[in-house]
Every structure is written in structure tokens, then in C-alpha cells.
Amino acid sequence: MHDEQMTDLERLVLSRRRFIGAGALAGAALFLGGGTLGRNALAEPLAAARSRPLLGFANVPASSADTVTLPPGYRFRPLISWGQPLHADGAPYRGDGSHSAAEQLGQFGDNNDGMGFFPWPDDPDRALLAINNEYVNYRYLLAHGHLPQSLEDVRKAQAAVGVTVIEVQRKGGEWRFVQGSPYNRRIHANLPISISGPARGHELLRTAADPQGIEVLGTFQNCASGRTPWGTYLTCEENFSDCFGSSDAGLALTPDQQRYGVEHASVGNDWHRFDERFDIARHPNELHRHGWITEIDPFDPNSRPVKRTALGRFKHENAALTISRDGRVVVYMGDDERGEFIYKFVTRDRLNTRDPRANRDILDHGSLYVARFDAGDGDPQQPRGRGRWIELSAGKNGLTAERGFASQGDVVIRTRQAASLVGATRMDRPEWIAVNPHDGQVYCTLTNNHKRGSDDLPVDGPNPRANNIYGQILRWREDGDDAAAGEFAWDLYLIAGNPVVHPGTPNAGSPQINADNMFNSPDGLGFDADGRLWVLTDGKYSDSGDFAGMGNNQMLCADPRSGEIRRFMVGPVGCEVTGLAFAPDYRTLFVGIQHPGEEGGSSFPDHQPGMRPRSTVIAITREDGGVIGA
């Protein structure tokens, strides 16, 4: 990212026809929360959209079939699947888990999640896709189908996580993966990554391998993502602590380690048994070097990713970017764990729309805030209330040296503890956040929380149900429609539920939820140019009991103006539907099918004997070539 490292292509990309051009800039801003920039640039499409219904497709019935189900007139095609070689000399997928770690490094990673579409500067038929590879399914990754039994097994898992960047090209109206493109690359758990921001060089980030605390190996457990207006990709590290464990079963875990979910035996990975970097008994500071948002330049395959520590350390879900009224960048973030918080970061400097290169370090300087919500009005169908943002800066709001926050580095490394100290509201697992490009309102999925209603987590305003097994979608509007405002008004846009099993009770859900569109555990979230809100689920797919009639995980589409919501897609058996991106003309929708058959019962997408199921990115189009959802 430095001048001396820039390639000719990077210079071309950075110019982006004087900062990407109005259309592409709007696209980058709107999908991940385009505020002022998106609204101004999309004035004409908005006027047209208001003259017609937003939802132009038939509601899809629930399904438990091992395929992707779409409305009439739509079709899908696999774009890329786990194990697919990125280059011609890569090992073809064999379907039996026998690939080596070295072979996996040259293949598409496992469990794809959030993604971002990056149009080519001067060619509408070329683009890059940056795609998260969150974690692995050992059942299918390894030939023996169990947790790692050797360092080679661990290295293979580490090679399958992180991020994959691929080139795609449009031919005959269809976007296809370009094998052998020089832009195809894996960003994995052992790739050197720079550390920037207030935690750079902090004593808690120093290790024997990196005594200066300025470079870390790898990114992993990458959940969702964000796209910046200056053309880079933000990948968010979520359940990073799952990869750590202790060789000393009697080791007393520190309060900080416990707060971030560390367990002696790790959580389903066992990396620490064969790779001592992940053994907290031997290298306790390694834990602090993960749980960040990492910035990647997809157009420069030789660039080094950067962990932007000013954005805080927690179990990041996604990063929703928008612009404040005075031109600063605002990043909304959720911490996906029961009882954790919602954050926003406001940059110190204004977005430079003339020189994208000047924004490359803009996320290193600014103020981090956490949300506090009031109790609301108690309306059982759509509670509403007020909230405010509390600044998390060393020396303010009780974050003093005596309490362990002598510097901003302390604050961002121990973000959860800082948020607790200032009295932020504990939420029902904040997941994806998206900003409506037309009115600036912010939406956040609160996916579920079976512990809500306990003495430790009492029912409160935006978390109104005990034993919350269905989840809800929170919405707020910043005062003055300014993303940098200190206060906001909130309501629950939608409460998921099952009105068939639980009629007339809070578990029936909001009035717009019915037998035809019900779902549980909203997770992924995003807007398109016309203002449709797309909702992806990661919930229970038993289709029985509390979840009877819901079928497999799914994608829904909502009209924020009317509240109407329809089921658009149902995924195959055992999958999570997660990750979405649109081509700039909105005639192709890219969606992630993660861990099909995680408990067995699926052969998606190959449907061939002897082939293990594979996480896959699919491309959805209309048979008439029209706009998705219209």
C-alpha cells in the first residue's frame, strides 16, 4: 500500500476515473451502508423505484430439499466451490479429503461467508470477488473426518481459512470464475499481515516471534465483511478464540481470556496441540493479535493486508460503511456473542474523494463508540425508544489508567471490557449491520439468545423476549440523519417467530410474519440500489417443534417502507445462507452456501456418488435478464 510498492495496475485502480466514478462509488457506498454519497448518486433510481412495488417475485415456500429453491423465472449456477483450484497447475478437487496442505493453498477455501464485488476500472465485463473463508468442516476437510491429528492436518485447516480473491468475467451475460488469473490468491492463517493503529507495538501484541508487535501471521474465522469507498476490502475476524487452547489443563485462565471465550481444549479445532503459536500456556499474547478487522487491496496481489486496530478487538461480524454529514467515514460493527455490544467508529479525517490513496490509513485515526439503548415503550409488536453512543477513548467515561486503560491501545485490545465499564447495552448477538441507502436508517440482525431472561441477561428494550430462539431485526435513525450523531431513535423493524406453533404469543413474531414467510435466526443483511432489504438466515433447520414449517435456511427480501417480507430463496440441507454481493447492474446476485450437510444428508453442489458436499458461491440471475427482486 506504499507508493514504492504500487504496481501500474494499482495506480490505475486507485485513480478509478477520478475516484471510481459516481456510479461505482455509489455502488460501493450503498451496499455496505451508503449514506450521503449513496443517496445523492442514486436520486434517479430512487425516484423510479418509488413508482412501483419493490417486491416483484413470488414468495417461495419452505423446503427441506437438497438444492437451491428460487422463485419462478430465476435460476442459479455454482460460481466456485471449496477445493476448486485457482490456477491451472492446482490440484483438482478429489472429493475424498486427501488433499495436502500445500494443495489446499492453491484451492478455493472452505466455508465461504461475506464477500465483496469490485468492478474493473475500465471494463464492465471484468471484476474481482473477495470472499471470506470462515472456518473448516473437519468431517469433510480431512480424509479421516476428525479433529486434526498432526501438524499437517492443522496446516491444511490453516490453508483453507481466511480470504480468497478471484477474478470473474462476464461472457454471454453470465459471470464466471477465471482460473489462472494473476489476481487469484489466498490470504490464509500463516500469511504475514501488518498491524496498524493504536495497538501497534503494544506490549500485549509482542511475542517471541514478533518482539516489536507490528506483524502477525494470518487472519482466520473471517465472518462477514465491508467494502470501502476507496476500493479495498474489510474482512472481519469473528470466533478467533476457538482456535486457541492450552497444553496445561490446570492453567488458570485470566479474566480477559475468559471474556473472549478461550477454553483449555479449544472450541473444535485443536490447533494448539500441534502448532504452539495457538497454545496460550506458551504464547498468551498471540490471542491479542486476532479479533480485528483486516483491510485488503484486492487489485494488488503483492500487497500486504493490514489489521486496523482502531476499530476495536472483538468477535466482528461485518463492517457497514457510510459517510457523516461532514464527510467523515463511519463504520458500524456488531460483536456476535450473547450479551455483547454494537459499536461504531468515526474517522478523524474526512474522506478524500479526489485522491483515493490518501484514504489508505484513514481507519487508523478516529473515535470508537458503543451503543446504550433505553428500555423503550414496551410495545409488544414494535417497541421503540432512544439511545446514545458512548465514546471509548482512554481517559474518558471512566476509562482510566487505574481501571486498566492507560492508553488507547489498552482500550482497543480490551474493547469488550471497556464497553462493559461504560454501561453499554448487552444485546442478543449483534450480527450483520446495513444502512439504507435512501434514508440512512441502520438495520442490525440480532440473531438469537437463549440466555436472555436470565438474572445475568434480563429482558430489556431492544431484546424483549426471554429464551429468544427466533431473533429480531433492530433499526435506528441517527439524530439529524447524521451518522456521526451522538444519539438516535430505535425500534424493532421485525421480530421473527412462528405464528403457526405459537399463535397469539410473543413467539409468533411481528404482524408481517405469517405461515408463508416465517424464519428464525436472521444473520446476513444488505440493501440493493432500489432499497430492498435482503435477509439471510443461520438458524435451526429441523423443520420440527418450534421450527416446524420453516425448512432449510433461507434468504428473504423485505420492503422497508411497507414492512412486507417474502421468502426469495431456500438453501440445501444443513447449510447456512450467508454472504451476498450484487453485480453493478443488479442483474446478478452472488450468494454463499456455507457448510451444506454439516450434519450429513447433503451432496450439494456436485450431487455425485463419492463426492463430499462443498461450500459454494452461487450466481443467481433472472431468465429474462432483469433486475434481481424487481
Side-chain angles (χ1 to χ4, degrees):
M1 294 187 182
H2 301 291
D3 288 350
E4 62 271 17
Q5 296 176 323
M6 289 174 59
T7 64
D8 290 339
L9 176 64
E10 185 180 17
R11 293 188 181 94
L12 175 64
V13 171
L14 289 174
S15 69
R16 301 285 173 127
R17 287 180 276 184
R18 293 301 287 177
F19 199 52
I20 306 178
L25 174 58
L30 74 91
F31 185 68
L32 291 158
T36 306
L37 291 175
R39 291 198 295 274
N40 291 345
L42 291 168
E44 291 303 318
L46 173 59
R50 290 197 184 282
S51 67
R52 63 180 184 272
L54 269 186
L55 308 186
F57 58 92
N59 187 74
V60 171
S63 172
S64 294
D66 191 31
T67 188
V68 172
T69 306
L70 292 165
Y74 284 82
R75 61 191 177 191
F76 80 95
R77 179 178 50 78
L79 178 77
I80 191 168
S81 299
W82 162 56
Q84 195 163 340
L86 302 183
H87 301 278
D89 60 356
Y93 177 70
R94 292 192 287 272
D96 58 3
S98 64
H99 294 287
S100 68
E103 288 175 325
Q104 177 63 68
L105 277 175
Q107 298 170 327
F108 183 59
D110 199 6
N111 283 336
N112 44 272
D113 203 307
M115 67 183 91
F117 188 95
F118 295 85
W120 212 260
D122 297 300
D123 188 340
D125 294 322
R126 294 182 71 187
L128 299 180
L129 268 175
I131 307 164
N132 286 351
N133 299 113
E134 186 177 9
Y135 65 106
V136 299
N137 290 93
Y138 292 111
R139 176 175 186 160
Y140 303 124
L141 179 80
L142 302 176
H144 54 68
H146 303 291
L147 289 178
Q149 305 296 309
S150 66
L151 180 59
E152 169 68 12
D153 285 353
V154 171
R155 289 286 185 255
K156 184 176 180 181
Q158 293 170 344
V161 298
V163 177
T164 306
V165 178
I166 62 171
E167 181 178 348
V168 292
Q169 290 186 12
R170 182 168 52 186
K171 296 181 180 179
E174 292 187 340
W175 290 96
R176 296 185 178 276
F177 163 58
V178 181
Q179 187 184 57
S181 167
Y183 302 97
N184 296 344
R185 64 165 167 160
R186 289 296 334 287
I187 297 164
H188 49 82
N190 286 297
L191 185 78
I193 295 176
S194 297
I195 299 172
S196 70
R200 177 180 170 86
H202 194 284
E203 62 181 358
L204 290 178
L205 266 64
R206 299 172 190 167
T207 66
D210 175 28
Q212 292 181 294
I214 61 175
E215 179 183 276
V216 61
L217 291 182
T219 181
F220 42 86
Q221 301 287 322
N222 304 81
C223 188
S225 56
R227 279 179 55 199
T228 71
W230 51 95
T232 59
Y233 182 69
L234 302 181
T235 183
C236 303
E237 299 171 358
E238 188 191 17
N239 295 311
F240 64 96
S241 59
D242 290 0
C243 298
F244 290 83
S246 173
S247 58
D248 180 1
L251 179 72
L253 297 178
T254 69
D256 287 349
Q257 290 169 341
Q258 294 179 54
R259 182 61 188 274
Y260 280 89
V262 176
E263 296 184 12
H264 286 91
S266 85
V267 182
N269 281 286
D270 277 2
W271 289 5
H272 69 288
R273 293 180 55 207
F274 306 100
D275 185 348
E276 72 170 62
R277 180 159 70 101
F278 295 90
D279 184 350
I280 59 171
R282 305 175 75 176
H283 302 283
N285 277 359
E286 186 67 30
L287 180 73
H288 306 135
R289 294 151 66 83
H290 305 280
W292 307 101
I293 286 179
T294 300
E295 186 170 9
I296 298 168
D297 181 359
F299 282 95
D300 185 357
N302 298 313
S303 62
R304 175 174 289 195
V306 181
K307 295 201 176 189
R308 301 292 183 186
T309 66
L311 298 172
R313 174 176 165 267
F314 44 89
K315 295 187 177 181
H316 288 273
E317 186 72 13
N318 82 322
L321 279 72
T322 188
I323 309 299
S324 71
R325 284 195 172 275
D326 63 0
R328 290 178 290 164
V329 178
V330 177
V331 186
Y332 292 105
M333 302 166 286
D335 184 352
D336 181 13
E337 196 154 80
R338 287 183 290 271
E340 293 301 336
F341 309 113
I342 294 173
Y343 299 86
K344 80 174 178 182
F345 178 81
V346 182
T347 61
R348 179 193 66 191
D349 302 325
R350 296 181 181 180
L351 180 71
N352 189 325
T353 59
R354 292 178 298 276
D355 180 11
R357 183 172 47 193
N359 300 302
R360 284 306 176 95
D361 294 321
I362 196 172
L363 297 179
D364 286 341
H365 307 284
S367 298
L368 184 63
Y369 300 85
V370 67
R372 178 188 291 171
F373 298 82
D374 68 11
D377 61 5
D379 185 325
Q381 293 189 328
Q382 191 178 29
R384 62 189 68 233
R386 296 280 301 170
R388 67 185 182 94
W389 295 103
I390 306 173
E391 185 173 351
L392 299 178
S393 292
K396 296 184 179 180
N397 298 315
L399 298 176
T400 63
E402 292 76 17
R403 292 178 169 178
F405 300 100
S407 68
Q408 193 60 17
D410 295 328
V411 172
V412 297
I413 292 170
R414 302 173 62 243
T415 306
R416 285 182 167 181
Q417 296 89 326
S420 290
L421 193 153
V422 303
T425 301
R426 303 179 67 190
M427 308 298 289
D428 286 349
R429 290 186 57 197
E431 299 226 34
W432 290 47
I433 299 177
V435 185
N436 190 324
H438 296 156
D439 61 20
Q441 293 193 73
V442 190
Y443 293 69
C444 176
T445 50
L446 302 175
T447 193
N448 57 53
N449 185 356
H450 69 271
K451 293 185 177 180
R452 180 64 64 181
S454 65
D455 292 340
D456 185 47
L457 276 172
V459 169
D460 62 17
N463 308 283
R465 290 183 296 188
N467 186 28
N468 178 15
I469 60 174
Y470 294 119
Q472 62 263 20
I473 298 179
L474 171 69
R475 173 172 60 186
W476 67 88
R477 187 165 203 153
E478 301 276 15
D479 285 1
D481 289 329
D482 182 4
E487 297 187 7
F488 55 88
W490 67 266
D491 72 342
L492 286 186
Y493 167 70
L494 182 148
I495 302 174
N498 193 323
V500 176
V501 175
H502 300 290
T505 73
N507 277 340
S510 300
Q512 68 265 51
I513 299 300
N514 55 56
D516 294 326
N517 65 11
M518 59 186 179
F519 63 95
N520 72 92
S521 300
D523 188 338
L525 206 61
F527 281 94
D528 64 21
D530 287 333
R532 298 178 194 85
L533 178 63
W534 297 85
V535 182
L536 297 76
T537 73
D538 176 21
K540 299 294 185 180
Y541 44 80
S542 65
D543 204 27
S544 63
D546 290 321
F547 309 101
M550 293 183 174
N552 296 339
N553 276 306
Q554 57 192 272
M555 175 191 289
L556 305 104
C557 187
D559 180 348
R561 301 172 302 178
S562 67
E564 180 185 10
I565 184 166
R566 298 181 188 175
R567 186 182 292 117
F568 175 79
M569 186 196 89
V570 182
V573 169
C575 82
E576 172 187 349
V577 180
T578 182
L580 73 166
F582 285 92
D585 60 5
Y586 292 89
R587 285 170 166 77
T588 303
L589 168 59
F590 302 94
V591 182
I593 303 298
Q594 189 187 83
H595 62 65
E598 68 172 347
E599 297 176 350
S602 176
S603 58
F604 184 87
D606 301 300
H607 298 298
Q608 295 178 9
M611 297 294 278
R612 300 182 176 194
R614 298 195 279 167
S615 293
T616 299
V617 177
I618 63 172
I620 297 173
T621 54
R622 278 174 48 168
E623 292 174 357
D624 63 3
V627 171
I628 302 295

